[in-house]
Amino acid sequence: MLKETTTKRVRLLVSCKDRAGIVSAISTFLYNHGANIVQSDQYSTDPIGGMFFMRIEFDLPPKKSSFEKLKEEFIEIAENFYLDWKMSLANQKKKMAIFVSKEDHCLMELLWKWKAGELNVDIPLVISNHTNNQQAVEAYGIPYHYIPVTKDTKQQSEQKAINLIKEANIDFSVLARYMQILSPTFVQAFPHQIINIHHSFLPAFIGANPYAKAFERGVKLIGATAHYVTNDLDEGPIIEQDVLRANHRYSTEQLRVAGRNVERITLARAVQWHINDQVIVYGNKTVVFS
Amino acid sequence: MLKETTTKRVRLLVSCKDRAGIVSAISTFLYNHGANIVQSDQYSTDPIGGMFFMRIEFDLPPKKSSFEKLKEEFIEIAENFYLDWKMSLANQKKKMAIFVSKEDHCLMELLWKWKAGELNVDIPLVISNHTNNQQAVEAYGIPYHYIPVTKDTKQQSEQKAINLIKEANIDFSVLARYMQILSPTFVQAFPHQIINIHHSFLPAFIGANPYAKAFERGVKLIGATAHYVTNDLDEGPIIEQDVLRANHRYSTEQLRVAGRNVERITLARAVQWHINDQVIVYGNKTVVFS
Amino acid sequence: MLKETTTKRVRLLVSCKDRAGIVSAISTFLYNHGANIVQSDQYSTDPIGGMFFMRIEFDLPPKKSSFEKLKEEFIEIAENFYLDWKMSLANQKKKMAIFVSKEDHCLMELLWKWKAGELNVDIPLVISNHTNNQQAVEAYGIPYHYIPVTKDTKQQSEQKAINLIKEANIDFSVLARYMQILSPTFVQAFPHQIINIHHSFLPAFIGANPYAKAFERGVKLIGATAHYVTNDLDEGPIIEQDVLRANHRYSTEQLRVAGRNVERITLARAVQWHINDQVIVYGNKTVVFS
Amino acid sequence: MLKETTTKRVRLLVSCKDRAGIVSAISTFLYNHGANIVQSDQYSTDPIGGMFFMRIEFDLPPKKSSFEKLKEEFIEIAENFYLDWKMSLANQKKKMAIFVSKEDHCLMELLWKWKAGELNVDIPLVISNHTNNQQAVEAYGIPYHYIPVTKDTKQQSEQKAINLIKEANIDFSVLARYMQILSPTFVQAFPHQIINIHHSFLPAFIGANPYAKAFERGVKLIGATAHYVTNDLDEGPIIEQDVLRANHRYSTEQLRVAGRNVERITLARAVQWHINDQVIVYGNKTVVFS
């Protein structure tokens, strides 16, 4: 009964064709259910015939089951306005899986921020095709699944990973410098549920060895891109990008080392937004309410 | 009758004590008046007992006088919720005065952006205590008022400026590197209507010669701060700040030259937000819906 | 005789195969000629078998013709070490031509910085395929040459421009949003003497309409690239790049407007470095001693 | 004898009154000793009567004891030009002590970068007035010394720390969010050997609770400053500074959490430069050859 004495913070994500009355209908619905809107963002690609996106955070009074009831009753509005929508309790932690290969900087960034309380998730498992990060991950009390990948075993290995994800009820996965390309089967099983960090400022330097390519081209900034994984390599919806200044003194290896800093920061920001339901995918782009 | 055929974009700024139902009441009011919300931002310092701030952009259907009627009828809601509010037509240009001394970089940035159509204002006059920028300003077709300031004439000079501002129905003034300290009389006549650019990252290096102080201290970044002018020198509500990397090679003079770039960009951004009704002052701070 | 009473600041740029003794030989040569080194930068791609690059600024005592004598006598060292080199007086202004089409932001940035004394060049002429910037340029006292370009007249038009450049002894040209692709004939006539600003973070969005492409791809940063023009479109040696944060709210047009800020700043920085002999091209890259 | 087959990378730092012939004398000396200069930076506050600073990296041929001999013979030049100087082998790791209190983000950043091979140091010990980071530090194989500090025991505690530093032959210490003010005795024992990270953009928000002060002032950027510790609190020579964008939505606590990112990055950069002998202190400023 203790739970009932505190307010419940709820997040509502909405996308639909824009038309008059949506904000009014939703905010009145919430008001009539005793909700207090504490944050609201919206965006319309075009008020006439465009798409409408909204994110609302609101507090529900501490009555029993008010959230479930609210969710159920929202369906009517959703149907009237043909809404795509998602409603979730802010304090209900998502389950995040991390995939990693040898390089540990993105992994450690996520684990450190998680332990510091900055990432409001559970991390039931880490999957890797290498063993070198096992000890560090287990020191955080997180199970580490070593699933080697070879040409011949790729399909079986992926199936193992899929099984692990499904058994653990994973909400989304992060490829924290996981140097294997996922098969269409894998990707389609988890639409907009896999976040990758690519070590370049996309669409520059798609594919392998972006730092070598950046060195060749003589760019003066290097970047990183966090995006949802689709079947087009490095072409999925971009969540976040950032850059770092470089110059002629940087070798490919030094670009790689410097780039770690922008990779881990960019990825952590994207993961944070995903966790907080701040990202809506539409077409091959994202709306990020940050 | 032509005017009636296009929709009217309206901006509404609201601040009040936070309580449930505000968003619902306002959005329903707008819906009932045929308005279509195209952009909405809100912020609450604390859902319980805090302050609530909202900015809404909406489109009114192209009926005659619908804006005035709406504004009048909004008073009832405003009184119910004890709102501070402001409603304005987006296409109705504000009148901006610019004050400048010798250095022209902030002045030229504003004039160039204005001419390029980036700043949706009228500029009825420029006031200066020097003559060196007269030709450049008049080339833009803007009247230039030379009002020299000496210790003895300061009061009279200010009165002249005040008269000019009032006669021209100026909405707000920009001190684009105007190197005179305005008297309390002047400042109080135009609350939150005067934007200054200070050439440091406030609160560092308050007062005169910030670049000399920055050089002395050996800072590795220099900054600029755009803020509303109050009677406490360089202590008014900050609208925008930005910085630029420096190093040991920079002399005071070189910091001053490099600093121009960050000054003009920071000021232009703040002025842009003010023009678009994106800034709400509360206490000695600002909420910027950007 | 007045000239002889002040020291002469000289800049020396050197590139060659790296081998021991270069710095020693050059600095001893300078010392023996009474020069005082005030700034020196060097870079080696690899101490063993790599390329060596150096930029030295030094002061010569105020004796008559010491610079010419020094230059002549330096040839011996240059031959010993197989140096590519360039020696110039810092106070001898380069002659810069500006090419522009309709958009004026890069043009105005350069003109303003030139007038403010930030760019130590002469600007004998501006060439444009449009007339809309004529008045603004002439207000700065700079001749404006309107050379329209059509498919049929392209070759003749280019020849006119080449003649103007040669007659005016132009040292380098800046394409300040000049929306014509120069022919190989033109480009080869002025190797590493033409600086272009491309409105994207190269190699992303090569070619036309980069802002439309950036909008399509949903990038979270937009950029600009200043580079030397070669015959491979947008593939020449990069001098400088910078970026600006964007988000889902930006339309293509808004990206274009926001992008102006990063374009003009990036171009001005590259031009500044070129003027100050801070750039050495090697292969398809640049060494920038900044 | 294996050691003799590889070249030795040496770093030379020099400061002195500027006068003609320094670069020539030093580079000729190095050439005569078979050294190959691979990197050289210099800076003069003023060629006439100013201070001269230089950093040279050079490779020595793989002969036995060539470094010690070179160092000894350099004394003559140093005396001729009244040089302050330091010559060290690049591959000889400095010994770094870390002081930390409760917050672990700066500590973990340094440890992670050290383990990743990015920081070329030994870390013989971590000292803390709390125990909460003991396990994490020991997991890296580094001894953790818990030295509680109270008003009464402050002097004894400091003496313990001093003893530990001296016994371990520590070259420099890093205060990685160590929330105790060191006594003048301590500070004077290690001049320019203690690096602190202050969680503000100095000189703004000197002293305690900078994030609370930043919140109060309503700044739009928050910063961090890495500096050498002197007896004037937060007034020592600044090595590096950086900032992060904030806005009205950030509470003091959120500024504190966001600020961690800029603190750890700024500190790591300063520590990196110190390790690589890239920093020269003069007066209350630093020359950073980066």
Side-chain angles (χ1 to χ4, degrees), chain A:
Chain A
M1 292 311 196
L2 269 175
K3 282 189 286 182
E4 298 182 20
T5 61
T6 52
T7 58
K8 290 172 190 163
R9 177 70 49 96
V10 185
R11 294 175 193 139
L12 171 62
L13 286 183
V14 161
S15 39
C16 63
K17 283 227 167 166
D18 200 359
R19 54 182 264 208
I22 301 171
V23 180
S24 166
I26 293 176
S27 58
T28 301
F29 169 85
L30 292 176
Y31 177 63
N32 290 337
H33 285 74
N36 188 25
I37 296 174
V38 294
Q39 170 79 30
S40 162
D41 292 283
Q42 62 172 81
Y43 164 64
S44 180
T45 59
D46 187 341
I48 296 156
M51 285 295 291
F52 172 87
F53 305 94
M54 186 162 63
R55 181 184 185 274
I56 297 187
E57 284 202 17
F58 55 89
D59 284 342
L60 276 184
K63 284 190 210 132
K64 203 178 163 185
S65 79
S66 54
F67 172 68
E68 293 309 323
K69 199 174 147 233
L70 187 86
K71 215 167 155 176
E72 207 183 294
E73 295 181 11
F74 187 74
I75 293 170
E76 198 185 320
I77 284 187
E79 288 180 345
N80 282 348
F81 286 92
Y82 301 95
L83 307 182
D84 268 341
W85 63 288
K86 209 176 107 182
M87 200 184 280
S88 55
L89 284 165
N91 68 357
Q92 190 173 306
K93 291 182 182 174
K94 289 184 180 62
K95 292 180 197 300
M96 172 173 90
I98 303 177
F99 285 70
V100 70
S101 292
K102 278 194 175 162
E103 289 217 69
D104 73 342
H105 53 286
C106 289
L107 170 72
M108 296 312 284
E109 182 82 3
L110 293 175
L111 293 184
W112 175 79
K113 279 187 182 282
W114 169 71
K115 204 191 154 204
E118 292 188 22
L119 297 180
N120 187 40
V121 282
D122 287 325
I123 308 179
L125 54 91
V126 169
I127 291 172
S128 180
N129 57 335
H130 293 275
T131 56
N132 61 304
N133 291 310
Q134 178 149 8
Q135 204 179 342
V137 169
E138 291 178 349
Y140 277 95
I142 299 170
Y144 186 92
H145 298 268
Y146 169 54
I147 306 182
V149 181
T150 65
K151 267 192 184 171
D152 295 341
T153 66
K154 190 177 171 78
Q155 204 184 333
Q156 293 158 269
S157 299
E158 279 204 346
Q159 195 52 53
K160 271 192 205 170
I162 290 174
N163 293 346
L164 282 168
I165 289 173
K166 294 202 164 158
E167 282 157 22
N169 287 314
I170 294 300
D171 291 294
F172 72 105
S173 299
V174 177
L175 310 187
R177 298 301 307 272
Y178 183 64
M179 307 310 282
Q180 295 289 326
I181 295 171
L182 303 178
S183 74
T185 312
F186 196 127
V187 171
Q188 280 154 20
F190 307 106
H192 305 154
Q193 290 169 33
I194 309 173
I195 297 173
N196 183 46
I197 180 73
H198 183 73
H199 39 315
S200 84
F201 181 83
L202 289 175
F205 310 131
I206 285 177
N209 296 322
Y211 290 124
K213 290 171 187 162
F215 176 79
E216 270 314 305
R217 183 63 188 90
V219 292
K220 301 301 186 186
L221 297 168
I222 52 169
T225 304
H227 63 95
Y228 289 112
V229 175
T230 62
N231 281 324
D232 298 310
L233 183 64
D234 303 333
E235 298 275 12
I238 294 171
I239 307 170
E240 174 62 337
Q241 302 187 288
D242 213 337
V243 293
L244 209 62
R245 195 152 281 281
N247 62 42
H248 59 269
R249 296 190 191 279
Y250 285 76
S251 64
T252 300
E253 175 59 19
Q254 286 168 321
L255 290 176
R256 208 177 59 79
V257 170
R260 289 173 184 164
N261 289 303
V262 69
E263 289 169 33
R264 58 197 176 113
I265 282 167
T266 304
L267 177 61
R269 215 145 50 199
V271 168
Q272 181 70 274
W273 291 336
H274 182 90
I275 290 171
N276 294 344
D277 297 310
Q278 294 176 272
V279 188
I280 301 177
V281 177
Y282 75 109
N284 200 42
K285 300 200 212 179
T286 62
V287 171
V288 179
F289 291 120
S290 66

Side-chain angles (χ1 to χ4, degrees), chain C residues 105-133:
Chain C
H105 53 286
C106 288
L107 170 72
M108 296 313 283
E109 181 83 3
L110 293 176
L111 293 184
W112 175 77
K113 278 188 183 282
W114 169 71
K115 202 190 155 205
E118 292 189 21
L119 298 180
N120 187 39
V121 281
D122 287 325
I123 309 179
L125 54 91
V126 169
I127 292 171
S128 181
N129 56 336
H130 293 276
T131 55
N132 61 304
N133 291 310

Side-chain angles (χ1 to χ4, degrees), chain C residues 237-250:
Chain C
I238 293 172
I239 307 170
E240 175 63 337
Q241 302 188 287
D242 213 337
V243 293
L244 208 63
R245 196 152 279 282
N247 63 41
H248 59 269
R249 295 189 193 280
Y250 284 76

Side-chain angles (χ1 to χ4, degrees), chain B residues 39 109 118 249 260 264, chain C residues 109 118 249 260 264:
Chain B
Q39 169 79 31
E109 182 82 4
E118 292 189 22
R249 294 190 193 279
R260 289 174 185 163
R264 59 198 177 113
Chain C
E109 181 83 3
E118 292 189 21
R249 295 189 193 280
R260 289 174 186 164
R264 60 197 175 113

